Amino acid sequence: MSRPKALLMDATQMNRALSRIAHEIIERNKGTEQVALVGIRRRGIPLAQRLAARLKAFEGREVPVGSLDITLYRDDLSELASLPVVHKSEVNFKLPGRVVVLVDDVIYTGRTARAALDALLDIGRPAAIQLAVLVDRGHRELPIRPDYVGKNVPTSPRERVEVHVTEIDGEDFVALYDNE
Amino acid sequence: MPGLKRKDILGLREMTVEEIDLILNTAEALKDLATRPVKKVPTLRGKAIVTLFYENSTRTAKSFELAAKYLGADVIHVSAATSSVQKGETLKDTARNLEAMGVDAVVVRHSMGGAPHLLARSLRASVINAGDGIHEHPTQGLLDMLTIRQKKGGFKGLKVAIVGDSYHSRVARSNIYGLTKYGAEVWLAGPSTLLAQGFEEYGVRTTTRVEEALEGADVVNVLRLQLERQEKGLFPTVAEYHRFWGVTAERLRLAKPDVLLMHPGPMNRGVEIATAVADGPQSVITEQVTNGVAVRMALLYLLLGGGEAA
């Protein structure tokens, strides 16, 4: 593992960004009655769970949380040298009538979000889909725009943004690396 | 990193525990696809698969066909009975012609053991063995293993009784190769004329008394009496076969109360298996069929999902 060239967010900043996003979700949807969160594997899932905990704390209502594995919907499978492991998607609530907030750690080209939209729409037809990301690093290749952004970070395609979360990586921070 | 490091799936004998784990885990992840409202993903869009069957099959051929379709591939079925095979075309030529039309994978069933291996060597396309003679039926072995793993959590130390005509059974052989890799205790039971030989080195035990194999069993896999493969004189009559070796409710009580009753199908009810048992609470025969589609999706994904390097 190479050394980060810049720390983009520490644990406190991540917490504040998630709290703000939770408030924005409530404000935009006039509460959380219709809202459900779906985390995109892998680091979108703990982020979705943290947002759900905040929505419950702020509004007093449980919000359903699901997870999405987008492997089967990727558009680059035939270009990958090694095949990704397929995992289960778990969306154990009815989608019609729901406003689903897709949650991911980083948005870059937008291709993951595109795959997630297709994966979700094959499971059901929600009333609306919104997109929340912790970091927007730019360089979109598709007409996709997140509704909620923790932090905008200008990057170069030769760089890599890594989001570390306690649930998976043991600590919380976001950092910028040079691609080897 | 994952992906199978092989072009073809010919048998469980040469597979490693890591490969089988990867296939079963992938199948588990893909299983729910078949119960969704939209049973189709674009993963193998643009891939073409042929099922080339020199023996009759409903379950296996249709299971492969649905698995391929759920993953978005195109499938055609070629049955020897209604193709140029009738005009004398050889297996290799038929398969090469299909490959020349752009087929990415050939799923083959043949009455000769080793036929898929022959194709695997002469084709660039992936070859999946859907049953070759009395040799192997790897996808059936894998779906049996997936069913056992779901219900029992693993294989180590399980007593698995394979009852019936193991001599003519490619299902039995694939089960033996797969299960013994994980430390299961496999028993073969049946008339001495129909018992597969030569599996002592895998720790397989053999008995002509079905009761001995069923005693305390965790899994009972009942084999179909393959009436089309029998020579004369291997057993007296079908009725007598049932009396001595049929799995009945009474005999099944010798096994553990939570025994899994399996059958690869198609069943000869009242011959190797009593109807009350086949439709009883311990039967997981329908789950086996469901898992069959999942296992075949997993194999198609792992063989065809990646790029050239995978």
Side-chain angles (χ1 to χ4, degrees):
Chain A
M1 181 68 59
S2 56
R3 284 165 50 90
K5 65 192 249 188
L7 183 69
L8 301 175
M9 297 173 98
D10 61 17
T12 310
Q13 289 168 312
M14 280 171 73
N15 279 327
R16 285 186 187 136
L18 287 170
S19 295
R20 177 175 49 76
I21 290 173
H23 282 299
E24 287 174 4
I25 291 171
I26 295 164
E27 194 178 5
R28 165 124 174 228
N29 296 294
K30 301 180 178 63
T32 57
E33 203 174 336
Q34 289 182 288
V35 171
L37 299 169
V38 172
I40 300 172
R41 255 191 86 88
R42 199 167 163 224
R43 286 175 180 73
I45 298 172
L47 295 177
Q49 284 160 345
R50 291 190 201 182
L51 283 172
R54 283 167 169 78
L55 294 178
K56 170 126 194 270
F58 299 157
E59 291 286 293
R61 182 196 294 274
E62 289 282 352
V63 170
V65 182
S67 66
L68 215 50
D69 180 286
I70 56 116
T71 308
L72 300 172
Y73 291 85
R74 291 176 66 143
D75 61 6
D76 59 353
L77 275 177
S78 60
E79 289 161 29
L80 298 174
S82 73
L83 200 58
V85 176
V86 186
H87 294 274
K88 256 193 171 78
S89 291
E90 304 210 13
V91 178
N92 301 319
F93 46 87
K94 293 264 175 283
L95 290 175
R98 287 280 179 195
V99 173
V100 173
V101 182
L102 286 172
V103 183
D104 206 357
D105 55 353
V106 179
I107 186 162
Y108 181 28
T109 61
R111 287 175 193 265
T112 301
R114 193 283 307 163
L117 288 171
D118 283 351
L120 193 66
L121 290 169
D122 275 359
I123 297 173
R125 186 176 184 276
I129 303 176
Q130 300 168 356
L131 178 61
V133 297
L134 191 61
V135 177
D136 182 348
R137 60 168 293 191
H139 303 285
R140 215 75 79 238
E141 293 168 1
L142 296 172
I144 285 175
R145 181 180 51 78
D147 299 274
Y148 312 101
V149 178
K151 188 180 174 78
N152 282 293
V153 182
T155 61
S156 134
R158 287 186 306 277
E159 293 168 327
R160 184 172 85 246
V161 175
E162 280 187 14
V163 172
H164 291 240
V165 292
T166 323
E167 295 90 330
I168 295 170
D169 312 291
E171 54 184 331
D172 278 349
F173 69 89
V174 181
L176 191 65
Y177 299 79
D178 270 323
N179 268 335
E180 291 87 33
Chain B
M1 273 303 279
L4 288 171
K5 305 272 178 293
R6 54 174 77 240
K7 173 173 85 74
D8 314 293
I9 302 293
L10 302 175
L12 292 192
R13 184 181 189 166
E14 63 268 17
M15 289 193 133
T16 64
V17 165
E18 290 71 29
E19 286 178 298
I20 295 173
D21 281 344
L22 174 64
I23 294 165
L24 298 184
N25 293 344
T26 305
E28 199 62 63
L30 291 170
K31 197 178 57 147
D32 289 350
L33 204 56
T35 60
R36 296 191 336 188
V38 178
K39 305 182 209 326
K40 207 178 189 63
V41 290
T43 318
L44 296 186
R45 193 176 51 184
K47 302 281 184 186
I49 294 161
V50 61
T51 54
L52 174 58
F53 276 56
Y54 285 77
E55 285 186 331
N56 291 334
S57 161
T58 308
R59 187 180 332 244
T60 306
K62 294 302 160 198
S63 178
F64 266 112
E65 201 170 326
L66 284 172
K69 287 183 172 170
Y70 292 164
L71 289 178
D74 291 304
V75 206
I76 57 164
H77 182 67
V78 176
S79 156
T82 55
S83 67
S84 290
V85 175
Q86 293 300 317
K87 301 176 188 167
E89 189 173 62
T90 66
L91 169 66
K92 244 174 159 171
D93 285 341
T94 303
R96 275 189 183 143
N97 287 329
L98 290 165
E99 187 174 56
M101 296 180 204
V103 160
D104 298 289
V106 178
V107 176
V108 63
R109 167 169 288 190
H110 202 282
S111 58
M112 297 297 287
H117 305 65
L118 177 76
L119 286 190
R121 283 195 299 273
S122 48
L123 297 184
R124 292 214 336 274
S126 286
V127 174
I128 302 179
N129 180 1
D132 61 331
I134 64 169
H135 175 237
E136 276 223 50
H137 190 348
T139 59
Q140 179 73 40
L142 289 165
L143 76 88
D144 288 345
M145 292 178 74
L146 182 62
T147 309
I148 294 170
R149 199 180 78 163
Q150 282 165 0
K151 304 281 178 179
K152 300 289 179 191
F155 309 101
K156 192 159 182 55
L158 292 184
K159 180 174 180 182
V160 180
I162 301 178
V163 180
D165 180 4
S166 49
Y167 178 77
H168 292 100
S169 176
R170 51 199 179 205
V171 175
R173 287 180 178 80
S174 287
N175 266 274
I176 291 169
Y177 292 132
L179 290 168
T180 55
K181 283 184 210 293
Y182 289 83
E185 181 192 322
V186 179
W187 284 72
L188 300 177
S192 58
T193 47
L194 295 179
L195 279 174
Q197 306 291 330
F199 288 100
E200 296 78 13
E201 60 172 302
Y202 293 90
V204 174
R205 287 187 250 187
T206 311
T207 176
T208 54
R209 283 189 58 247
V210 67
E211 290 81 3
E212 191 185 359
L214 292 186
E215 182 83 51
D218 299 283
V219 178
V220 175
N221 203 342
V222 188
L223 300 174
R224 186 170 71 87
L225 189 60
Q226 302 191 47
L227 296 164
E228 74 276 16
R229 290 192 217 277
Q230 305 297 336
E231 305 154 39
K232 273 209 167 76
L234 292 176
F235 61 93
T237 65
V238 164
E240 199 166 314
Y241 181 90
H242 182 68
R243 183 139 36 91
F244 284 99
W245 294 286
V247 174
T248 58
E250 194 192 347
R251 287 199 174 114
L252 198 59
R253 276 195 284 275
L254 295 167
K256 292 215 177 113
D258 61 347
V259 65
L260 302 183
L261 181 91
M262 306 175 52
H263 191 296
M267 287 187 274
N268 299 304
R269 288 172 180 264
V271 184
E272 72 268 4
I273 190 166
T275 283
V277 169
D279 302 332
Q282 289 141 330
S283 168
V284 290
I285 295 171
T286 312
E287 279 103 316
Q288 286 177 270
V289 178
T290 304
N291 284 333
V293 178
V295 157
R296 289 166 184 128
M297 280 196 279
L299 289 176
L300 292 173
Y301 170 72
L302 293 169
L303 291 180
L304 304 183
E308 287 293 311

